[in-house]
Amino acid sequence: MGIESLCSADASEPFWDWNLTWHTEDPDFTPCFQNTVLVWIPCIYLWLCFPVYFLYLQRHDRGYIQVSNLNKAKTALGLILWIVCWADLFYSFWERSQNIFRAPFFLISPTVLGVTMLLATFLIQYERIKGVQSSGVMTIFWFMSLLCATLIFISKIKNALNMGDDEDAFRYATFCIYFVLVLVELILCCFPEQPPLFSETVNDPNPCPEFSASFLSRVTFWWITGLMIQGYRNPLEAKDLWSLNKEDKSEEIVPGLARNWAKEWSKTKRQPLNMLYAPKKQQKSGDSNGDMTEEVEALIIKPSQKSSEASLFKVLYKTFGPYFLMSFLFKAAHDLLMFAGPEILKLLLNFVNNKAAPDWQGYFYTVLLFVCACLQTLILHQYFHICFVTGMRLKTAIVGVIYRKALVITNSARKTSTVGEIVNLMSVDAQRFMDLATYINMIWSAPLQVILALYLLWRNLGPSVLAGVAVMVLLVPINAVMAMKTKTYQVAQMKSKDNRIKLMNEILNGIKVLKLYAWELAFREKVLEIRQKELKVLKKSAYLAAMATFTWVCAPFLVALSTFAVYVMIDKNNILDAQKAFVSLALFNILRFPLNMLPMVISNMVEASVSLKRLRVFLSHEELDPDSIIRGPIKEAEGCIVVKNATFSWAKTDPPLLSSINFTVPEGSLVAVVGQVGCGKSSLLSALLGEMDKKEGYVVVKGSVAYVPQQAWVQNATLEDNIIFGREMSESRYKRVIEACALLPDIEILPSGDKTEIGEKGVNLSGGQKQRVSLARAVYCNADVYLLDDPLSAVDAHVGKHIFEKVIGPKGILKNKTRVLVTHAVNYLPQMDTILVMTDGEISEMGSYQELLEQDGAFAEFLRTYANAEQAMENSDTNSPSAKEGKPIENGGLVNEAPGKLMHRQLSNSSTYSRDTGKPQHQSSTAELQKPVAEKNSWKLMEADTAKTGRVKASVYWDYMKAIGLLMSFLAIFLFMCNHIASLTSNYWLSLWTDDPVINGTQQNTTLRLGVYGALGISQGIAVFGYSMVVSIGGIFASRHLHLNLLHNVLRSPMSFFERTPSGNLVNRFSKEIDTIDSTIPPIIKMFMGSTFNVIGACIIILLATPIAAVIIPPLGLVYFFVQRFYVATSRQLKRLESVSRSPVYSHFNETLLGVSVIRAFEEQKRFIRQNDMKVDENQKAYYPSIVANRWLAVRLEYVGNCIVLFAALFAVIARNKLSAGLVGLSVSYSLQITAYLNWLVRMSSDLETNIVAVERVKEYAEMEKEAEWSIEQTAPGSSWPEEGKVEFRGYSLRYREDLDLVLKNINVTISGGEKIGIVGRTGAGKSSLTLGLFRINEAAEGEIIIDGINIAKIGLHDLRFKITIIPQDPILFSGSLRMNLDPFDQHSDEDIWRSLELAHLKNFVSSLPDKLNHECAEGGENLSVGQRQLVCLARALLRKSKILVLDEATAAVDLETDKLIQSTIKSQFEECTVLTIAHRLNTIMDYTRVLVLERGEVVECGTPDQLLQEKGIFYTMAKDSGLV
């Protein structure tokens, strides 16, 4: 009665009438329904949204938008609408006064509508004030109003046509005005406002169009179309990308997370945490995943109360929760809409069966189906967009927080996580959170979908559904078990992969040594052994994957089969008609997704929780205590550095390293710290910097500090940036500093002077240059206290002297500063103010030079040993300040022509990695060397890993198929066909079954139908299993084949290739690309083939049912194809840009970790954090458009899919008299799935394209030039060759590359067996080139080298290199046992090895190790000192004991004692061998038989040292410089 009373004064008018609305050919609503419900719907919507929206706007203020014409128009229309509504109201009052009593709704509806219009007008203004450029809430409101008004309008027109002019003229007029105004409002709402005043977008060169786009454009992602078109026309570049939105930038996101974490952490800090740090020893170096350490740490943390752990999850939720909550609503809406499809299908099938139903109902269902599908599309992609953006922010935040933390953790904490692990946290773990963000809602959404689907199924089929559910439930644990298994295999595979990459890394870093020693084969075997393990695991997981695919593909079928079987068998009267069968199938298809997703989501969550724990452990590490060292401003107190009773250790738990240290350094004095190797000199400096843990005592360092570490740390930036290091540039000061640090000559050599970019870890500088750059940085920053850790060790004696005089010494630039200098050089000690002598972590003596000599203690003893040796050494070598140092000639990259021309050093570019490498560009030619200096600045680093552009060639797919094996490839395709034919037939059979006539309430031959249905299903299963196995095993064949080729080809490449190609690129090939081929490509191929056939199948079925669809499918196919090509072009390029910009994030991070002590000493943390933020933002700039591009594509494609649904249903309705219900059900249920398949297909095809590139890049190195054969049977020399060791150079010339000049010109020298030859010459004279020629690292340009009568160019490289021994300049060790480092081929007995160690003076050291010969050397031999490594290289030479020994002056890094040892060993042990020594210190070769003096690649003098001194030539001047004459 209630609502009826609104409808008319006397309740005679009905509110709803079925006969009028439904059971009729011409439907209409009652006037009462029109004027109440249809008017109120939009009003109710707006009033419900208002409070939430109002609060949202208050929180999110984007700035103020000026009043524009658009805004004026909207507001005016809103007010007019209000007036129109109230005109109606006043008209009703006027009628009342005339005693015409109308129904109450004539009063109520205009009132409600009028107030709502006022609210709408208010919101239009309020949005403008809050800076909303286009409003979704309002657009939807106007759209709803228009929709409702249209229904009323149609009805009014019908009435007017039927009844003549009985209609109320005034209300008719006001309604028409209302309708037009609402339409105009809706149109105006589609245009966005101009951007707010003072917003960032105004001064942004390339702002993101998202916020200025209209609501419709944002819902359909239309705003990215511009970028897509641009990307389609020509490949995108970094400059085309939009800037990030403000709320996605690091500086917005990271501080929020950091603040919340700090709060949470301080809460737990209040409760004392009895937490020790697990020492590193418990973790084997192989386990890069850090799981071990975590376990250990977790055990130690356990005893503290549970509550005291800071919860990182809570913090993340606090930071990102609110924005993420929106996704919750979208997901729920989408889930509900998903079930509309099957329900409408049910109604549609009823309609087809009921021949009496009016036609319009069919069209109504069709439209309803289409609208539901479209809404579902829009909502789903809004949901995904929110999830992905949240994921992106999460990653940004985590990377930022890790970076900030890495700058403050203690050294002991650094030991628990290696650099690799911390970088892993940034890459892998942050990525996991990103992935989880998209799935986390499945945790509640999947169960919801399952429950809903089961409810609807139960309504459809009754209890027999339980059979199907039972099958599903049984499959879940099977899937879960497989997922667990896969996980364990993955861990095992990761482990092997980590080991393999570590080994590869070392091989590539030490490739020169491998080539010189001819050890490639031994290491190749080692790599392949690890690879074999990896492939074994891969094979296991391939079988698993095949099983998984089998269950995944067959599950829906088994479920349907069991359900229908039980349903038909239970009761004869249960008839399987189209409605039951196909609606159930549609619901089963929906069910399949959540059931399969759940295990995956759960395992994802488990992974994420592991990552969460790792992150928490890292973020809870101890931080350096900034107050342990008092850094005061300079006051004239006791001294500039004061240390009283201080005891230091590296970690809280370690025994102290430095104990009871007492000293005071007065301001402006120069203090030297001397002592034996490993007595704690460097640690003392670290302690003064606050890097160590202070146990007790008191330390003051006054004023700012500059620090020069022992291992120079050079950034990947220009030389100038490295020196200025973030300070202001002052030309005069800069010039002075460069001059003083002897860098001028080096800068002249570098291709673009001080603007030259320096590669990672300073690859293109020699050791001495790096050290001087590091020193220049300290000098430039003009601090008060200078801590110098042995800066003179890596430079030549005379350069050292120059630096000491000009910089450090009493007359240098720093003469008024406080300087603490750690040094080995005895000759500078007399000039020091104070000398600290350290022994075993304590200061044993202290005083000036004279005092210490008088005490006659350890120091005096130390001096006596060295003074004579030093005198000889002082200023050896040549007179140019940039003379030979550390790494003399970067493998001949220096080409010295006339002194005026620039020298050109080859550089490899490691600064800009990317994943896709083009062919190497040809290297700069001689022409470039002669360029005038004006062009200097154009020279940048070489060989970027360039991004490939354009489509992947078909030949790449063909290559991959060949790698699998053509037979297997075609077998796989055939099995795919079989599977899909079986699948289509079984569903077609089902539709025939449902159309069986019903006789006496039962269907005939049910058993036959069921049997055939089952048989088809089983054959389908067999085919699935078959193709799955074939593809997986084929994939393994392919990856084995491709890796073997890659490894072989890389090892056979000449040295020049490694100098050109950054090792990062190569390692990338071995890790990233091979991993893609191993584990990404096979599943993608499976899914790609699967979705292709699915789409084709669906189209075939639709064509079978309604042949007329042939008109529609081709045009839709074309649209699909265009959209896909558009997308792939842009998306591929975005992916590349994203990976190109990802590398700098990691390189910068790596660099920071290596130089963290320098950054802290100079207090530059802020600047580095800013740089890191910038790099992360650069990366996200490419990632964000690629997310949006995915959404853009999906929305477009789903619309193509929705159109197919529309037409399948439409044609079925049109032809409903000719069609059986079974066929309609079949075609519509297939079309409902097609959207998902289309989406999947594009996803897969673009994934396939992006991943198949890996094959291309691995093949790329197969086409590179190779060095000569390793061994040639025909010409192999006898096993005893060379017997006497006679070496002849005949007219020998050498150049590094075709396009460069000769470095050695026409050398004719004969060296008889057993001679000792010294080779001397200035830097760049070609000394090292001679040895490179001898080992054929570079092949001869003209002439030949003959050893014992055999021309070395004719024999295999290994045959040659095994017979000559070299002690190289930089001692390189590989990780592995000491024994492996000495004898990788296991050719020698233990006695031999011990004997060689004894002769190399290492026996005592090795015997003292717990594992003796099996002592594990760390990567690069880090756990041995440089001197010890040098001795290991000597031991290698002693083991080989070949007739010819080449010594590349190996004594630069060794203290004098060791140097003596080496020289004496060589004299005694290589008595009858030919020894060629490249000498930098002339005193080592004064007793040699002959000396060759090289100058610009030619031999200028040759003879015994005495003869040459007599001749008074070049050798004489060099000897004079060295003080030997």
Side-chain angles (χ1 to χ4, degrees), residues 716 757 760 909-914 943-946 1065 1140 1143-1144:
N716 178 0
E757 196 175 325
E760 267 181 67
N909 171 5
S910 355
S911 64
T912 49
Y913 285 169
S914 106
E943 257 324 302
D945 203 351
T946 48
N1065 294 3
V1140 169
S1143 303

Side-chain angles (χ1 to χ4, degrees), residues 782-797:
N782 198 12
D784 304 317
V785 178
Y786 279 80
L787 304 176
L788 311 169
D789 195 348
D790 206 0
L792 303 175
S793 63
V795 298
D796 271 10

Side-chain angles (χ1 to χ4, degrees), residues 475-517:
L475 287 175
V476 168
I478 295 178
N479 274 347
V481 167
M482 286 202 273
M484 296 300 291
K485 270 297 214 210
T486 314
K487 190 106 226 77
T488 49
Y489 288 150
Q490 257 174 345
V491 170
Q493 187 204 338
M494 282 305 288
K495 212 163 174 170
S496 307
K497 184 178 144 194
D498 283 348
N499 290 336
R500 192 184 87 230
I501 298 311
K502 198 167 125 210
L503 186 60
M504 277 316 301
N505 215 342
E506 292 189 54
I507 289 179
L508 295 172
N509 286 338
I511 188 79
K512 186 167 178 193
V513 175
L514 283 192
K515 289 203 174 302
L516 291 171
Y517 286 135

